[in-house]
Amino acid sequence: MFAKTYGATTLGIDGRIIDVEVDVSPGLPGFELVGLPDTSVKESKERVRTAIRNSGMQLRQERVTVNLAPADVRKDSSGLDLPIAVGLLASYGMVPEAAVQSALFSAELSLDGNCRPISGILPMAITAREHGLTEFYVAPSNADEALLIDRLKVYAVENLAQLVRHLTGTEVLTPAVPQATEQKKDAAFTDDFADVQGQYQAKRALEIAAAGGHNVLMVGVPGSGKTMLARRMSSILPELTKEEAIEITKIYSISGLLGKDTGLVTTRPFRSPHHTSSTVAMIGGGSIPRPGEVTLAHHGVLFLDELPEFSKKTLEVLREPIEDRQITVSRANATLTFPSSIILVAAMNEVTSITIQCNDDREAA
């Protein structure tokens, strides 16, 4: 019997709907998973079979074929465990197929059938709404993130057995609702620009840069307050719009930087990579490119302390994100464009500046 469910993965900072097609037929027992899965997805067949058995359900020993479409897109999300399990149960007739036609499933399964959270839920929810899906089943820790998108019923599923009871009508799950959490001051704003005493000329320069979106280079002796001022620059930038906040939250969701039960990111990012960071860490990369520091600082501040200590190659790759407000990363498996609308703030010691100038004069002579 054939059944089809919907899962999702991420590509760049966007979600991608994956059609999970499951076919069960008589023959030599086996479990084939096709459709360009990576290692974590290939291992899902063991997690799924064990989770189903430990949830109190027994399946006949038959030949199972699972296809993840489109087949030319590499799947690298363990969140495909849940749609594979539901599709398998639907193909055996244990779950009505009509109950899964307009739903997206995204969670990792433990061996006892519990649902574990994954990264990238927000872009998946946006893509689900764009494709006309009306229900989204996620792990409880991902529910608040999925609820950021309107016109989408979000269900927090504790385990596979609970989901099966809901789909078969023996138990009714109530759609999740946003948790009423009191607004607390974000950690980024504990460093307030108003706390700086003196430094009037430097503060005026940073205020102008914040107002116009200009980049800043601060030169001074060690201990003069360069890092202190840079860390507080985010607190004088304009508040995020709803669109900017969603875009930043998508980036942090894909990178796995959202904390447990974290909703919308409401403060502008401040990123300060170490001077030993590589070009891949700075602009993003990997076999399937992931965001780098310039993208994680999108709509915020990227601070490069001890600027001359960064390698020449690392500094040169910053030209495109600064000029074009985006960075294109090309790899064998994909070519992706990441947003990088940043304010670059750099700091260096005055002694280093004098040394560089002397070296230039010596070369000119």
Side-chain angles (χ1 to χ4, degrees):
M1 183 178 175
F2 173 82
K4 180 179 177 180
T5 58
Y6 297 102
T9 186
T10 56
L11 193 62
I13 63 169
D14 298 317
R16 182 73 179 264
I17 297 296
I18 303 297
D19 296 343
V20 180
E21 302 169 344
V22 183
D23 181 74
V24 176
S25 59
L28 190 65
F31 196 121
E32 293 295 331
L33 186 60
V34 298
L36 206 59
D38 73 349
T39 304
S40 65
V41 180
K42 286 179 181 178
E43 293 172 347
S44 67
K45 62 182 180 181
E46 301 299 333
R47 292 193 297 269
V48 166
R49 287 193 297 191
T50 307
I52 291 176
R53 185 176 66 251
N54 290 334
S55 297
M57 293 169 278
Q58 295 296 327
L59 302 179
R60 298 186 305 273
Q61 292 296 314
E62 295 183 300
R63 181 171 182 79
V64 176
T65 304
V66 178
N67 178 44
L68 307 176
D72 61 340
V73 176
R74 180 169 291 277
K75 290 76 180 180
D76 62 345
S77 172
S78 60
L80 292 172
D81 287 3
L82 191 59
I84 291 174
V86 173
L88 187 57
L89 294 172
S91 64
Y92 274 96
M94 303 177 71
V95 170
E97 191 173 354
V100 301
Q101 289 181 349
S102 61
L104 179 68
F105 303 89
S106 191
E108 180 183 330
L109 288 176
S110 62
L111 296 184
D112 59 357
N114 288 328
C115 294
R116 290 175 172 167
I118 62 170
S119 59
I121 286 293
L122 180 58
M124 294 178 188
I126 295 173
T127 304
R129 187 182 64 179
E130 292 173 350
H131 282 73
L133 301 177
T134 58
E135 298 175 345
F136 193 14
Y137 295 88
V138 298
S141 297
N142 287 141
D144 285 342
E145 186 180 340
L147 286 168
L148 296 175
I149 304 304
D150 301 327
R151 302 191 303 277
L152 191 65
K153 288 184 180 179
V154 177
Y155 293 90
V157 181
E158 295 284 349
N159 51 62
L160 182 60
Q162 182 189 48
L163 176 59
V164 171
R165 291 194 299 270
H166 171 71
L167 295 176
T168 55
T170 58
E171 179 182 333
V172 178
L173 282 179
T174 304
V177 295
Q179 298 294 325
T181 56
E182 59 178 88
Q183 294 288 341
K184 59 181 181 179
K185 203 174 185 182
D186 191 271
F189 284 83
T190 56
D191 296 328
D192 198 329
F193 199 77
D195 296 336
V196 180
Q197 303 298 316
Q199 298 282 14
Y200 300 110
Q201 192 172 11
K203 287 196 295 183
R204 177 59 177 164
L206 291 180
E207 289 167 359
I208 295 173
H214 306 299
N215 302 314
V216 181
L217 172 62
M218 294 187 288
V219 181
V221 297
S224 58
K226 301 184 297 294
T227 302
M228 175 194 67
L229 287 165
R231 289 189 178 279
R232 285 162 169 77
M233 187 171 179
S234 296
S235 65
I236 60 173
L237 293 174
E239 291 186 3
L240 290 172
T241 64
K242 182 69 177 294
E243 292 74 17
E244 290 175 338
I246 289 177
E247 195 171 7
I248 294 172
T249 308
K250 282 173 57 178
I251 295 170
Y252 275 68
S253 174
I254 289 170
S255 303
L257 297 178
L258 287 182
K260 183 180 178 182
D261 302 322
T262 302
L264 199 67
V265 175
T266 57
T267 56
R268 294 189 179 272
F270 176 85
R271 302 292 298 182
S272 180
H274 193 260
H275 60 76
T276 58
S277 298
S278 65
T279 57
V280 172
M282 191 67 70
I283 67 171
S287 57
I288 298 179
R290 295 288 183 178
E293 291 291 341
V294 294
T295 303
L296 294 174
H298 184 51
H299 292 312
V301 175
L302 177 65
F303 176 51
L304 303 184
D305 199 7
E306 304 296 344
L307 181 67
E309 300 297 330
F310 285 85
S311 68
K312 179 181 178 182
K313 187 176 180 181
T314 301
L315 294 178
E316 285 178 347
V317 299
L318 293 176
R319 183 180 294 111
E320 182 184 348
I322 291 175
E323 293 179 354
D324 300 338
R325 302 295 181 178
Q326 63 182 21
I327 179 70
T328 300
V329 181
S330 298
R331 295 294 183 267
N333 293 323
T335 298
L336 300 174
T337 299
F338 297 110
S340 58
S341 180
I342 61 172
I343 293 178
L344 178 64
V345 179
M348 58 186 291
N349 294 331
E350 192 172 14
V351 176
T352 308
S353 175
I354 295 173
T355 303
I356 293 174
Q357 185 177 359
C358 292
N359 288 337
D360 291 342
D361 293 342
R362 190 179 300 113
E363 291 174 1

